[in-house]
Amino acid sequence: MRVLEDDMFPSTPGKVKIERATAMNRQLHRCFASTSTMFLWALFLVAMTASYLSFQSFVDTSSKYFAASWGGLHWERQIRASAAPRRPPGSAAGAGMSVLVTGAAGFVGTHCSLALRKRGDGVVGIDNFNSYYDPSLKKARRSLLASHGVFVIEGDINDGRLLAKLFDVVPFTHVLHLAAQAGVRYAMENPASYVHSNIAGLVTLLEACKDADPQPAIVWASSSSVYGLNDKVPFTESDRTDQPASLYAATKKAGEEITHTYNHIYGLSITGLRFFTVYGPWGRPDMAYFSFTRNILQGKPITVYRGKNRVDLARDFTYIDDIVKGCLGSLDTAGKSTGTGGKKRGPAPYRIFNLGNTSPVTVPNLVSILEKHLRVKAKKNVVEMPGNGDVPFTHANISLARQQLGYKPTTNLDVGLKKFVKWYLSYYGYTRGSKNFSPTTATPGDPRTSEL
Ligand SMILES: O=C(O)[C@H]1O[C@H](OP(=O)(O)OP(=O)(O)OC[C@H]2O[C@@H](n3ccc(=O)[nH]c3=O)[C@H](O)[C@@H]2O)[C@H](O)[C@@H](O)[C@H]1O
């Protein structure tokens, strides 16, 4: 302390005032100098931050611009060419439709797009190629579609600008809306993705459809899961659907209510299809029949869920070709939307149909059929069904679809799984030995891949 005082106040009297003043001046000068230096530094930092931020925003904007997978004259030409119907003039089936298929690189989307194209309708697909399951399978489906002249845009149904642009470029007559976050049990892992695709995405799409001129008719994928805990069998469209067992089911049920609103207010023609556990070639790897096949061939165990009191779970498994017929029948009978300029001009159809097979099969039975076609015994772990959103059984009453769409499923599970296994072995490059199947060097999606 002493030392400090001595330093600040010199011991020689008389000098004190002058020296004090000089010292104070020095202090002030130092202080001023450091303030101005700080000020300069602050200015410098502000300038650096501003230039960094503007550079960032330039990078963002330009990367958005350069990364945008849509837009431009070439892109519009591709869209128009893909959307153009090619039915022969004077064809009994009329001039043909222009259909926007959402989720076109998905399982049902690919099959429906191909079927529409093969009969001469125009099809444009949109798909976000998300990684819920192996995107390479989705890309292989896109290549298959491209080889048949169907163009699939990489984009999300939540992108309202993209949808508006599409309706600007093409006066779509129909939308087949199949894009969704699928899977019953995955909803516990990633609930937000169900809200994103099945609620927000649906509303964005409906907004674009209601604004479009002409308004398209909409056919979309609901789900058998809306029947939830309903135990009245078989499931009929008028049965209770207010007891969903999973968030997936709840979002599909919400979709039915949301589409009703758009039908009511804006005159959109709506057809909701309740699909019952659809399976077949080019299917979804997350589904039981697909993952069981993979594990059985690789010698890995499979987990078979069992209901309460050791009751086997059962599903009304429905073959993809039957579902495609139901989808096309729905498009053909949809009737027109009635609104223009976002205003309803009269009542429009609002329909809901079950598309099932009408003959439920238990999960252990499904496994036996696979074992037969794969010529391998499965290593089964049978466990009690966890509380994961599953329902014990599904069973469709299809009278309404039969009557109004001419829907008539013709493929039983044995025949359907045989076709699936044939595709699976070919796609994943297995060859047939004398006793079993073994993998070859072929990679999925190579020319040895079977078509459908
Ligand atoms: O109709 C629908 O609306 C839905 O159908 C499909 O759901 P699900 O009927 O549940 O089909 P899927 O997963 O193949 O399980 C089949 C059975 O295997 C049992 N299962 C399943 C997995 C497993 O590891 N073990 C098992 O026993 C399981 O407990 C079940 O009993 C679609 O995925 C869904 O997106 C939706 O479209």
Side-chain angles (χ1 to χ4, degrees), residues 58-69:
F58 167 76
V59 169
D60 272 6
T61 322
S62 47
S63 68
K64 256 181 224 148
Y65 177 77
F66 291 118
S69 55

Side-chain angles (χ1 to χ4, degrees), residues 182-185 222-225 248 275-278 284 286-289 291-292 303-306 313-315 317 363 366 385 390-392 394:
V184 174
R185 292 163 289 280
S222 182
S223 158
S224 71
S225 64
Y248 169 71
F275 294 159
F276 283 69
T277 315
V278 189
R284 274 174 35 209
D286 62 310
M287 288 183 68
Y289 74 96
S291 63
F292 286 175
T303 305
V304 176
Y305 299 136
R306 193 165 53 191
L313 304 182
R315 288 289 181 273
F317 295 100
V363 177
L366 162 87
M385 183 173 78
D390 258 335
V391 292
T394 61

